[in-house]
Structures are given as structure tokens and as C-alpha cells.
Amino acid sequence: MSATTSSARTRLTPEQRREQLLDLGVRLLASRSLDELSIDLLAEEAGISRGLLYHYFGNKHDFHEAVVRRAADDLIAQTAPPAGGEPLERMSRSMAAYLEYVEANYEGYLSLVKGAAGGNPTLRLIYDEALGALTGRIFAEDAQGELIPDTPVTRLLVRGWAVMVEDMVLTWVADPAGSAVTREELLALIGGSLPTLVGALADPA
């Protein structure tokens, strides 16, 4: 087999190359803020020209949006609860995966949260879509309402709980060694707080 034939067979399509660059962008975003993720950095890491990157992504804004969307998709996929088991156990496993994701992608995830809170409309949209997927799956996985009844009130409560969990996890991951809370205690707090809140809603007295 000639080198030319081998090269032709392994040559990536434009869409495959774009996907490869997105994967690289997500890996780089894991350890740096979105502002630090530049076209120059990705071009250097990928070994291609800036002009080729602009060909795939148009401009820096489009590049950032594409990378953050891919990262949000990864978050949703990696925190998917297991198929079997009790609703509370599935939720606990999902929350453990969420903690692991934030630990592995702290800088990039923090950039998304800060950008959404800071009024960036694109990041806000991506953040809301991701949060909606994460909270919506709680009701989908507990379709019989064993853990949480599906009502407008509880959906609002779950969203508020998710934002609270996000803040606790980000705070803990920022300095786990200096925290007086262990990993096990954090996960127990996350897993136990939602049923407690729902219980208080059902019995306000």
C-alpha cells in the first residue's frame, strides 16, 4: 500500500476535522478560563494555521460558543444516571458524576457559570439549556413520582436546588484540601438535601 493511498484513507472530512478541533478545545478549556482559550492557542495545539481555524469556526465568538456547547453536551452525557436501581440511588450516582466532572473541568465550567451570570446571552442560553437537561432528567428518571412529584412548584424547587448544589460543588472543588467538609459529606449533603426540601414543601409545619 502506498503512502498516498494510506493518507487518502485516513484523511478527515471537514466535519470530522471540526469535531476533532472541538474535542481539543474542550480538553484545553478544562484547565483554563474561556477568555484564555484563544484561536492562537488552539491553532498551536492542533498544529494548524489560524486561517484554517477561522475557516471552521468563523470568528472567536463562534469558536467559543461551539466549544462551550460541546462541553455542556459532555456534562449532560457524563452525568447521566445509571439505567437501573432506585430513583434516589440513581440520583446519587448522577451527583457523584457531576462532582467528578466539575473537578476535571473546573476552569471551563466556572467560566460558563460566570459568563451566564454576567449577562452573556449566548452563555446564558447554553447554561439554561444544560441546567434544564440536568434538572429535567430527575423527573424523567422518577416518572412515577416516587421521589419527587412533578408539579410546577417542585420543578421550581428543583431548579433552585440545582443552583445551590452548583455553588456548593464549585466552592468545595476550589479548595477541597482546605475545606472542613469531606468528599463523602459533600455528596451526602447533595443527595439528602433534595428529598428534605421536597418533604418540607409537602409538610410546611
Side-chain angles (χ1 to χ4, degrees):
M1 180 185 298
S2 68
T4 301
T5 301
S6 176
S7 175
R9 288 185 177 180
T10 58
R11 185 178 297 126
L12 298 177
T13 66
E15 183 59 29
Q16 289 172 327
R17 184 56 167 165
R18 187 177 187 277
E19 292 296 302
Q20 185 182 65
L21 292 171
L22 281 177
D23 288 338
L24 175 58
V26 170
R27 290 198 298 274
L28 294 173
L29 185 62
S31 57
R32 51 182 51 79
S33 70
L34 191 59
D35 289 339
E36 295 172 324
L37 185 63
S38 66
I39 290 286
D40 288 335
L41 175 63
L42 188 65
E44 179 180 353
E45 291 288 334
I48 61 177
S49 69
R50 284 168 49 96
L52 187 57
L53 269 176
Y54 283 120
H55 169 73
Y56 285 112
F57 297 106
N59 54 50
K60 183 178 179 179
H61 173 80
D62 291 344
F63 164 58
H64 279 178
E65 178 181 348
V67 171
V68 172
R69 283 191 177 279
R70 170 58 62 83
D73 289 342
D74 288 348
L75 165 64
I76 294 167
Q78 293 176 29
T79 58
E86 296 298 319
L88 189 57
E89 173 61 22
R90 294 202 301 271
M91 186 183 75
S92 296
R93 294 279 294 277
S94 181
M95 289 299 98
Y98 172 73
L99 174 57
E100 291 171 2
Y101 178 89
V102 176
E103 287 178 305
N105 301 274
Y106 176 77
E107 292 296 340
Y109 187 70
L110 184 62
S111 287
L112 171 59
V113 173
K114 286 185 174 180
N120 183 304
T122 299
L123 294 184
R124 185 75 220 182
L125 177 61
I126 296 172
Y127 175 86
D128 284 342
E129 289 174 350
L131 184 63
L134 295 178
T135 56
R137 71 164 44 134
I138 292 176
F139 296 97
E141 292 294 325
D142 183 30
Q144 304 303 316
E146 297 176 36
L147 180 63
I148 305 170
D150 189 353
T151 69
V153 173
T154 53
R155 282 190 173 267
L156 182 62
L157 179 79
V158 167
R159 181 181 174 87
W161 168 81
V163 174
M164 178 187 73
V165 167
E166 176 185 88
D167 184 68
M168 288 193 297
V169 167
L170 284 171
T171 300
W172 188 87
V173 172
D175 186 23
S179 175
V181 178
T182 67
R183 182 190 194 86
E184 291 71 25
E185 288 172 334
L186 175 63
L187 288 173
L189 177 60
I190 292 171
S193 57
L194 182 55
T196 299
L197 288 170
V198 172
L201 184 65
D203 185 15

